[in-house]
C-alpha cells in the first residue's frame, strides 16, 4: 500500500529518514519554503518532494524531526494546518524532548483532533543500504505507524503512554552522552596534569569496556557537542528543576558548550581527546 | 629487611592495608588515642600496634589514609611531630584529594624536612589472601617506597611530580564513579516514567558493556554514596572553580547526598536501582 509521509524538517536526520522511506516506495513530502540552497539539494537527493502546507496536512503520517528547542513551535504550526482538515494525519514527535514537553505537544496536536504518537530515535541516521536507527514509539496510537516497518524503519513499540518513548530517549542519551561528557572532562584534565598515560593504562587494566567505549565516543562527540547542549537541558528538564541530579545535566550543557567553542576555535581540547582516543598521549616525565 | 610503617587512621581501607603489611612481616603502628571500641578491635585484628606520637614519627614510612576532608589536618599534625625528629620518615598521602590539596600537603610535610610522596589508591581494600588495590605513587621520592611491594602492596610508579598520582585518582574516579552517578540518576528517572524495561533492552542491544558495568556498579554504589559526596567535591576542585565542567561534579555530590539519604531512609530509589541491576524492572503497560 502506498503511503504519503511528510517529514519536517529536511535536516541531517530528517533527510536520511526520507531517503530510506522513498527508496522503499513511500511518497515523502517536506516544506521547503525559505530554506537554503544546501537544504533544497539535500532534500532533492533524498527523494523528498517540496509541498504546500495543505498537501503536508493531507499526508498519512507526519514525522516531526527537528532540534529539541523547535519541537513545540512546529507542533503549533502543524495543529493550525490540521485543524481545518477532515482527514487527520498521525503526527509523530521524534524529537529529543523531555516528558513534560512531549505531553504539551500531545495537547497541541490533540486540539486539532489528530492522533499523536510519542517517538524517540536512538542511533545514527539511516545510511543507504545500511541499518535503521531504532524508532521507539509509545502512546495509544503507536501501533498505527508500525506500517513504517514496510518502508525500512526499525519501529519498536514501547508499552506505555505518551512520554514513555521520550523518557527512554532521555535516559539512554543521559547515560551514553553523559559518559562522553565525564570521559572528555576527565581526559582533558588528566592530560593537562600529566596523568593521561597512567589513566589510560589503569582503565585498560581494570575497566577495559569503558576505555573501549571512550575510544569511540570521544572523537565522535567533538563535532556533535554543539547539538548536545540543548539535549542536556532537555534531560535536566526531564528530571525536573528541583531534582537532586538536574545540576549534573546543566553542567554537561555548559561543558559541551565549551567543547563546541573549542572545536570551532583552536581545538586544543579536541586534539587532546583525539590523542587519548588514539592512544598517543604524550609522556611527561 | 624489617620495616616499621605507621598508618593513620585505622579505618576500613587503612586497617585492610595494615593487615596485608603485617601478614607480610612489617611492623605496623597506628594511633588509637580516643578511638572507639570497634576501631580498637579492628586495629588489633589487623595486626596494628597502638603507638604514641613519637613512635609514629620514628617509623620508616607513614601512610595517610583518611577521608579527603581530613587529609590536610592530619598532615599538619604529622609535620608537628616530625619536625622535632632527626630521622625523618617518608610521608605518603594516599587520599582522594585534588592536585592543589596534595601540593599544599607537600608544603606542610616539606616544612618538617621530611620526604613526601603523592599517592592514590584505585580498587577495593586488600582482602586476606586476595589481591592488592593499585597504589599509584608520584613525586621525586616515589621510588623510596617501592619497598612496600615486598609486603604485598601493588605499588605503581606514575612518572611525574607530586600531583600526578592524585590527578590519576581524581580522573579515574571521575569516570568510574561518574558513570555510576549518571546511570543511577537515569535508571531511577526511567523507572518512574515507565521506561526501565525499554532502557534495559536498548542498552543490552546497543551498549552491552555499559549495561554490564551498571549491573555491577549500581548495587555497589548504594552503601558508598555517602563517602563519594566529599570525593565529588574534590574532583570539582581538581577541575577548578571556574572550569566549565566543575558543575557536573558539584551535581554528582548533590545526587550522592540524595542517594545516601535515600539508602539510610525508605530506600525507594535504592530498591529501584537494585531491581534494574537484577533485571527485574516492573512492566508498566
Amino acid at each position: 500500500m502506498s503511503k504519503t509521509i511528510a517529514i519536517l524538517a529536511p535536516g541531517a536526520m530528517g533527510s536520511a529518514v526520507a531517503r530510506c522511506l522513498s527508496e522503499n516506495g513511500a511518497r515523502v513530502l517536506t516544506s521547503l519554503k525559505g530554506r537554503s540552497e544546501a537544504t533544497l539539494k539535500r532534500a532533492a537527493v533524498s527523494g523528498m518532494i517540496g509541498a504546500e502546507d495543505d498537501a503536508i496536512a493531507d499526508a498519512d503520517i507526519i514525522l516531526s524531526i527537528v532540534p529539541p528547542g523547535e519541537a513545540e513551535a512546529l507542533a503549533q504550526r502543524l495543529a493550525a494546518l490540521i485543524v481545518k482538515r477532515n482527514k487527520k494525519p498521525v503526527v509523530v514527535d521524534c524529537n529529543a524532548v523531555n516528558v513534560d514537553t512531549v505531553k504539551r505537544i500531545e495537547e497541541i496536536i490533540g486540539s486539532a483532533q489528530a492522533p499523536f504518537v510519542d517517538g524517540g530515535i536512538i542511533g545514527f541516521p539511516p545510511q543507504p543500504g545500511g541499518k535503521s536507527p531504532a524508532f521507539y514509539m509509545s502512546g495509544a496510537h503507536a501501533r498505527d505507524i508500525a506500517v513504517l516497518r514496510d518502508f525500512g524503519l526499525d519501529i519498536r513499540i514501547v508499552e506505555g503512554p505518551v512520554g514513555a518513548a521520550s523518557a527512554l530517549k532521555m535516559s539512554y542519551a543521559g547515560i551514553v552522552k553523559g559518559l562522553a561528557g565525564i570521559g572528555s572532562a576527565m581526559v582533558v584534565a588528566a592530560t593537562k596534569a600529566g596523568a593521561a598515560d597512567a589513566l589510560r593504562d589503569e582503565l585498560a587494566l581494570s575497566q577495559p569496556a569503558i576505555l573501549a567505549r571512550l575510544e569511540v565516543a570521544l572523537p565522535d562527540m567533538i563535532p556533535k557537542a554543539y547539538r548536545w547542549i540543548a539535549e542536556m537541558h532537555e534531560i535536566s528538564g526531564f528530571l525536573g528543576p528541583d531534582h537532586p541530579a538536574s545540576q549534573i545535566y546543566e553542567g554537561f550543557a555548559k561543558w559541551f558548550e565549551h567543547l563546541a567553542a573549542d572545536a570551532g576555535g583552536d581545538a586544543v581540547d579536541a586534539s587532546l581527546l583525539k590523542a587519548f582516543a588514539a592512544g598517543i598521549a604524550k609522556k611527561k616525565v
Side-chain angles (χ1 to χ4, degrees), chain A residues 14-238:
Chain A
S15 54
V17 173
R19 184 179 196 137
C20 172
L21 295 171
S22 64
E23 284 181 350
N24 284 283
R27 196 167 154 254
V28 186
L29 309 181
T30 193
S31 177
L32 293 170
K33 260 184 297 188
R35 303 302 300 237
S36 70
E37 200 60 43
T39 301
L40 296 184
K41 201 176 157 190
R42 183 168 52 205
V45 169
S46 309
M48 295 172 115
I49 304 159
E52 296 301 313
D53 284 353
D54 281 352
I56 285 169
D58 277 338
D60 299 302
I61 294 168
I62 301 180
L63 303 179
S64 164
I65 304 179
V66 289
E70 298 173 21
E72 209 169 333
L74 175 58
Q76 255 142 1
R77 193 184 137 203
L78 291 174
L81 299 181
I82 294 166
V83 73
K84 297 174 270 175
R85 322 297 295 181
N86 287 325
K87 185 185 149 261
K88 308 287 185 182
V90 183
V91 177
V92 188
D93 181 284
C94 300
N95 304 306
V97 293
N98 74 48
V99 176
D100 286 350
T101 307
V102 84
K103 285 182 176 166
R104 280 202 305 277
I105 291 174
E106 178 185 29
E107 278 185 32
I108 293 165
I109 300 300
S111 73
Q113 292 87 46
F116 178 72
V117 177
D118 176 21
I121 307 175
I122 293 181
F124 295 108
Q127 296 300 316
K131 80 181 181 73
S132 165
F135 285 75
Y136 284 97
M137 301 291 167
S138 74
H141 297 280
R143 284 188 169 75
D144 297 359
I145 54 154
V147 62
L148 292 177
R149 287 177 188 143
D150 300 342
F151 301 95
L153 296 190
D154 178 6
I155 301 289
R156 302 184 194 175
I157 309 296
V158 182
E159 301 301 338
V162 164
S166 286
L168 168 61
K169 169 72 184 174
M170 294 283 101
S171 54
Y172 182 86
I175 293 171
V176 175
K177 293 177 184 170
L179 178 56
I182 53 179
S184 54
M186 292 297 106
V187 163
V188 168
T191 306
K192 289 178 179 172
D197 284 333
L199 175 61
R200 218 179 184 289
D201 292 348
E202 175 59 35
L203 286 171
L205 270 172
S206 63
Q207 299 290 348
I210 294 181
L211 179 61
R213 177 69 205 145
L214 292 178
E215 285 173 342
V216 175
L218 297 183
D220 173 64
M221 170 200 63
I222 295 165
K224 295 177 184 167
Y226 80 97
R227 275 202 273 122
W228 292 6
I229 302 166
E231 198 168 337
M232 294 299 121
H233 288 306
E234 284 296 325
I235 297 172
S236 169
F238 164 56

